[in-house]
Structures are given as C-alpha cells and as structure tokens.
Amino acid sequence: DAKTTQPNSMESNEEEPVHLPCNHSTISGTDYIHWYRQLPSQGPEYVIHGLTSNVNNRMASLAIAEDRKSSTLILHRATLRDAAVYYCILRDGMYSGGGADGLTFGKGTHLIIQP
Amino acid sequence: KAGVTQTPRYLIKTRGQQVTLSCSPISGHRSVSWYQQTPGQGLQFLFEYFSETQRNKGNFPGRFSGRQFSNSRSEMNVSTLELGDSALYLCASSLVGGANVLTFGAGSRLTVL
C-alpha cells in the first residue's frame, strides 16, 4: 500500500494559487518526497522532489513540514494546462536497488481548474 | 537525450491470447518499473527490474511476467489475456536511489476483445 494519503480531488480557479496536500506520517529520515503529475492521455511526468528543505523549480514549489509528516505542492498560478492527476510518493534515498514502496503511486489527487 | 520508449503504443488482442510489451529506458538507467492503469484507478505497480533481476512485484497474478536484458531494456508479458487486462501499461526508468526521479514512457494501450 502507498505510504502517502492525498485528497481524491480538488478544484481551483485559473490564475489562482493551488495548494495540494500530501500526508506521509510514517516517513523515514531517508525518504525523499516526490511529486508527479499525469495529464490526460499521457504518462506521468516529474514535477518536483525534496528531502527536508522547501524546493522551488520552474513548475512548482514544494513545502515540507518541519516534522516531515506532510508536504504541500504549490502551483503559484494555475492554468488550464495544470489540470491533471497529481501523485505524491516517498522514495528511500538509502536503498540502491529499488523498493516497491517507492514505486506505489495510489490514486493521487485529481486537480480541476475552472476558467 | 532520448526519453523512455514504449512499443507498441496501441494494440488489440482477443481473450486467451498473449501479449509482449517493450520498454527502452533512458541511457544509463538500470531500474525499470511497470504499471497498469485502468479507468478510475491509479497507477498499480506491477514489478520492477534492476540489473536483469526482478526486485519487487506487485499484487498481480502469475499471468503477468517480465524480464530485463543486459542493455536494461525490459519486456513484460501477459498470457491468457482476459477482458479485465484492457489497460494502459506504463513503464518508468530511473537511476538507482530514491533521490533520483522516475521518467515515464507514453504507455502501451492494450484492448482485449
């Protein structure tokens, strides 16, 4: 089973910020928090990942709680093209050979953007 | 650099047949994982291969199998196809270690009639 929990769906308006939450209360000290998204009719694509500190890239920001038991993906200004399913997973940074937990995605959050 | 390539992109089979899907990872990526996605479902993990060895397997029947070659290319096979096997099959490749991201292919859409 996935080690993360996410809301099934969220709705936001275009050009407004979106905060997508993810709970991972059993996270270990070496787990990286990864976010991926899947646009309609496409394979998932990488969005952002981090370990302890907040991270920013051209797509989004990742805010990690101080106790690391939750994180939030922030889309600063949502567009219609951001409508997708967003997945949050944990991947063990110490494990070099794989690990099914770090490959179990669950159902993610279906983000709906209203024009 | 080239992305993850999956072939074929679309295929139609009938019940009882078998199918083989191929995945060519990004050069240098030795971990390849496979997923099944059906309408309304998330990504369901099938199995992962690393250095030609199956490291992890999801909760799927033995009809689903795979292998990885020395060049890291991977194939998955589904035997005795059932209607419920109709799905999008995705593969992803990565460098080893949880700090490294997964790169997905576009998927192979299988329809079983």
Side-chain angles (χ1 to χ4, degrees):
Chain A
D1 291 340
K3 296 194 296 185
T4 62
T5 55
Q6 300 176 254
N8 289 334
S9 66
M10 290 184 65
E11 195 167 316
S12 182
N13 295 319
E14 198 175 11
E15 299 188 4
E16 291 185 355
V18 178
H19 290 67
L20 296 166
C22 181
N23 288 318
H24 29 79
S25 59
T26 60
I27 190 171
S28 74
T30 55
D31 282 339
Y32 282 77
I33 302 160
H34 285 237
W35 284 82
Y36 296 81
R37 73 179 185 180
Q38 187 174 20
L39 301 171
S41 303
Q42 296 186 25
E45 64 176 353
Y46 166 77
V47 178
I48 199 167
H49 76 294
L51 183 61
T52 57
S53 303
N54 295 344
V55 184
N56 299 295
N57 66 21
R58 64 174 180 82
M59 289 181 71
S61 295
L62 176 60
I64 302 172
E66 195 169 333
D67 63 5
R68 300 185 72 235
K69 293 185 177 182
S70 66
S71 61
T72 302
L73 177 70
I74 302 167
L75 306 178
H76 294 286
R77 204 158 164 259
T79 70
L80 295 177
R81 288 175 294 180
D82 291 321
V85 178
Y86 287 78
Y87 298 95
C88 165
I89 66 168
L90 303 179
R91 285 174 57 74
D92 185 358
M94 295 297 290
Y95 191 76
S96 62
D101 282 347
L103 301 165
T104 304
F105 278 69
K107 295 190 178 183
T109 296
H110 183 200
L111 176 63
I112 300 165
I113 304 296
Q114 297 289 354
Chain B
K1 56 185 175 182
V4 177
T5 304
Q6 291 189 247
T7 57
R9 288 293 313 280
Y10 303 92
L11 66 167
I12 300 173
K13 295 284 187 179
T14 57
R15 278 181 299 175
Q17 288 187 310
Q18 73 166 10
V19 65
T20 299
L21 308 177
S22 177
C23 174
S24 293
I26 288 175
S27 178
H29 286 192
R30 294 166 64 192
S31 172
V32 175
S33 50
W34 288 89
Y35 302 82
Q36 181 196 66
Q37 187 170 41
T38 51
Q41 299 294 317
L43 295 168
Q44 295 182 276
F45 172 70
L46 280 160
F47 28 64
E48 184 219 5
Y49 285 87
F50 174 72
S51 292
E52 303 179 63
T53 302
Q54 186 181 90
R55 293 294 186 122
N56 295 282
K57 192 177 194 309
N59 189 26
F60 278 82
R63 299 185 297 106
F64 292 80
S65 64
R67 58 179 176 170
Q68 186 180 34
F69 301 95
S70 59
N71 61 358
S72 293
R73 189 177 71 85
S74 178
E75 289 181 347
M76 67 162 284
N77 183 276
V78 187
S79 62
T80 320
L81 284 167
E82 301 176 359
L83 295 179
D85 297 331
S86 294
L88 179 66
Y89 291 87
L90 293 153
C91 84
S93 75
S94 74
L95 295 169
V96 295
N100 295 297
V101 305
L102 297 165
T103 302
F104 284 82
S108 294
R109 184 164 296 281
L110 169 66
T111 301
V112 182
L113 302 175

